[in-house]
Amino acid sequence: MSLDLSVRPAGTADATPWLRPEEYWPGLTEATRGLDTPVGALHLGALRHNTHDMLGRAQGTPIRVASKSLRVRGVLDAVLALPGYRGVLAFTLAEALWLAETHDDIVVGYPSVDRAAIQRLARSAGLAARVTLMVDSIDHLDLVDSVIAPSQRERIRVCLELDASWNAPVLGHLGVWRSPVHTPEDARALAVAIVSRPGFELVGLMAYEAQIAGLGDRPPGRPVQGGMNRWVRNRSIVDITARRAAAVAAVRQVANLEFVNGGGTGSLESTHADTSVTDIAAGSGFFGGHLFDSYSGFRPAPAAAFALSVVRKPTAQTAAMLGGGWIASGPPGADRSPRLVWPEGLSLVPREMAGEVQSPVTGAAAGTLRVGERVWLRHTKSGELSEHLNEFALVEDGIVVDMLPTYRGEGKAFL
């Protein structure tokens, strides 16, 4: 079937099934009972809810879909078919070239040193028109030239990345270590260098404010940390809004930019308010990983989840699931581990946690689990889930209506 996300589920928020775990998770268990574990499920109603909720939060600013947070072409295609979603932010150049077979306006979110992929891009007029490379230094231009000379290739579209981290008083660098281009002056200088080089065309600017988009302001049980996170978010918003606007103005003096990209799932509202931004990148909000449970302004539905089977009973009050160590990127910690959601009353064993081969659980419900029964977990972000599954069971009205292959299921692994 062709996945259709165009109709938002009817009814009030209180009527949504994902707010009633005693119905939601047993319903997924029953729907997928005929499928062996590990099994991944996508709840179509929850996915529709998240897709339309993100559009509402973006308030008219187009959303560029971060494909690494989905890694399911069926979902990517369905999202991009909706008004309000435009373009792809890809993970690697190899992925972008694969997606360019059916999509256009693909920006590679990270610089590429994949020489074979650069060769393929540079020798195809069609691919060169649909794919944009990310750069943040002259070194990236030099590398492309070393692979194939400007006189022998198509013009390469490039996007300049502005560092969106915040240099906070006392605390120093807050955000992620990405681009060395931090000031408007830095951005203009690199833009001048790009436009002076044959074989390149500067078409975009990107600034990803990770310390805003990826930082929850209401971490459960940590009010002090929450207060600090809100302070960082608020001050960072002021900083990047002013600095990005100045950088865009400076770069537009030397190049006609087609797009200015910023933001992420956790910053749709604040990035929309920045009038210099023309599209916002977002991806994890579609599947609704538990990382976003710690945000006060929104909470996505758990559209994606996975179930593992109990294979051992080490004691009467414990159970061990096969596998489970599907860990998200970021600083190692409990918040990067899958979260047990059903049955309720389970917890991972602190000395083992979620493991590659097994994940023991304890708690009030562990004693009732029997060998062969399944336990549902939620991933932290989104991309890591698809890396462990060949396909998702698409569930609607209590039944599996289709099986959607992941990148892995299509035989693709892009890092």
Side-chain angles (χ1 to χ4, degrees), residues 61-99:
T61 301
I63 296 176
R64 183 178 294 274
V65 183
S67 59
K68 76 175 182 65
S69 297
L70 297 177
R71 307 188 199 197
V72 181
R73 278 209 294 181
V75 176
L76 181 65
D77 293 348
V79 170
L80 288 172
L82 297 178
Y85 289 99
R86 184 180 71 198
V88 177
L89 185 68
F91 183 25
T92 69
L93 178 54
E95 179 204 12
L97 298 180
W98 182 57
L99 293 176

Side-chain angles (χ1 to χ4, degrees), residues 42-125:
L42 278 175
H43 188 282
L44 185 52
L47 181 60
R48 285 191 181 120
H49 169 84
N50 292 342
T51 301
H52 289 271
D53 185 65
M54 289 169 67
L55 287 176
R57 293 175 55 216
Q59 300 177 62
T61 301
I63 296 176
R64 183 178 294 274
V65 183
S67 59
K68 76 175 182 65
S69 297
L70 297 177
R71 307 188 199 197
V72 181
R73 278 209 294 181
V75 176
L76 181 65
D77 293 348
V79 170
L80 288 172
L82 297 178
Y85 289 99
R86 184 180 71 198
V88 177
L89 185 68
F91 183 25
T92 69
L93 178 54
E95 179 204 12
L97 298 180
W98 182 57
L99 293 176
E101 296 172 3
T102 53
H103 294 284
D104 55 16
D105 190 12
I106 303 172
V107 177
V108 183
Y110 303 84
S112 178
V113 295
D114 184 338
R115 292 175 177 271
I118 291 171
Q119 277 270 5
R120 186 180 167 205
L121 172 71
R123 293 190 181 280
S124 168

Side-chain angles (χ1 to χ4, degrees), residues 93-409:
L93 178 54
E95 179 204 12
L97 298 180
W98 182 57
L99 293 176
E101 296 172 3
T102 53
H103 294 284
D104 55 16
D105 190 12
I106 303 172
V107 177
V108 183
Y110 303 84
S112 178
V113 295
D114 184 338
R115 292 175 177 271
I118 291 171
Q119 277 270 5
R120 186 180 167 205
L121 172 71
R123 293 190 181 280
S124 168
L127 293 175
R130 294 193 293 274
V131 176
T132 300
L133 294 184
M134 191 65 60
V135 301
D136 60 39
S137 74
I138 298 298
D139 291 342
H140 296 135
L141 308 181
D142 291 342
L143 188 138
V144 171
D145 283 346
S146 72
V147 172
I148 181 168
S151 61
Q152 300 172 5
R153 68 172 191 244
E154 300 293 332
R155 183 181 292 267
I156 302 296
R157 293 165 53 88
V158 298
C159 174
L160 184 159
E161 181 165 3
L162 176 74
D163 173 37
S165 62
W166 177 41
N167 291 327
V170 181
L171 297 177
H173 181 276
L174 296 176
V176 290
W177 294 99
R178 291 172 65 111
S179 171
V181 180
H182 188 78
T183 67
E185 293 75 21
D186 293 338
R188 189 181 191 283
L190 182 55
V192 169
I194 294 171
V195 300
S196 68
R197 295 277 291 258
F200 296 99
E201 181 181 8
L202 178 58
V203 298
L205 183 146
M206 184 180 88
Y208 168 52
E209 52 265 52
Q211 73 280 9
I212 304 169
L215 189 65
D217 60 347
R218 288 286 190 273
R222 294 183 290 166
V224 174
Q225 183 64 54
M228 175 62 74
N229 289 356
R230 288 191 292 278
W231 179 79
V232 169
R233 282 172 57 88
N234 293 338
R235 294 291 296 272
S236 292
I237 288 170
V238 173
D239 169 73
I240 189 55
T241 299
R243 187 158 50 84
R244 181 164 45 205
V248 170
V251 171
R252 286 194 185 280
Q253 293 175 0
V254 296
N256 294 319
L257 297 179
E258 296 176 11
F259 65 88
V260 176
N261 176 264
T265 291
S267 68
L268 287 169
E269 293 86 353
S270 61
T271 309
H272 158 76
D274 184 345
T275 57
S276 70
V277 172
T278 66
D279 61 61
I280 308 172
S284 290
F286 295 106
F287 287 176
H290 70 72
L291 175 71
F292 298 101
D293 291 354
S294 62
Y295 286 72
S296 61
F298 72 101
R299 185 166 182 175
F306 67 102
L308 303 175
S309 288
V310 173
V311 295
R312 283 177 171 167
K313 290 285 294 182
T315 72
Q317 299 304 315
T318 60
M321 304 176 297
L322 186 67
W326 302 2
I327 308 302
S329 61
D335 63 342
R336 303 298 165 178
S337 178
R339 177 170 295 171
L340 297 159
V341 290
W342 195 265
E344 294 179 318
L346 293 175
S347 59
L348 293 167
V349 176
R351 289 186 179 179
E352 291 195 49
M353 296 300 287
E356 179 183 5
V357 295
Q358 72 168 28
S359 299
V361 294
T362 186
T368 67
L369 290 173
R370 298 291 178 262
V371 170
E373 293 184 326
R374 56 187 55 182
V375 174
W376 286 96
L377 305 93
R378 290 174 62 199
H379 57 296
T380 299
K381 295 182 178 178
S382 287
E384 75 273 15
L385 185 52
S386 295
E387 284 299 302
H388 291 271
L389 296 167
N390 288 330
E391 57 189 356
F392 280 97
L394 186 62
V395 177
E396 185 171 30
D397 296 329
I399 63 173
V400 175
V401 296
D402 201 4
M403 300 298 295
L404 298 179
T406 62
Y407 282 9
R408 168 176 157 158

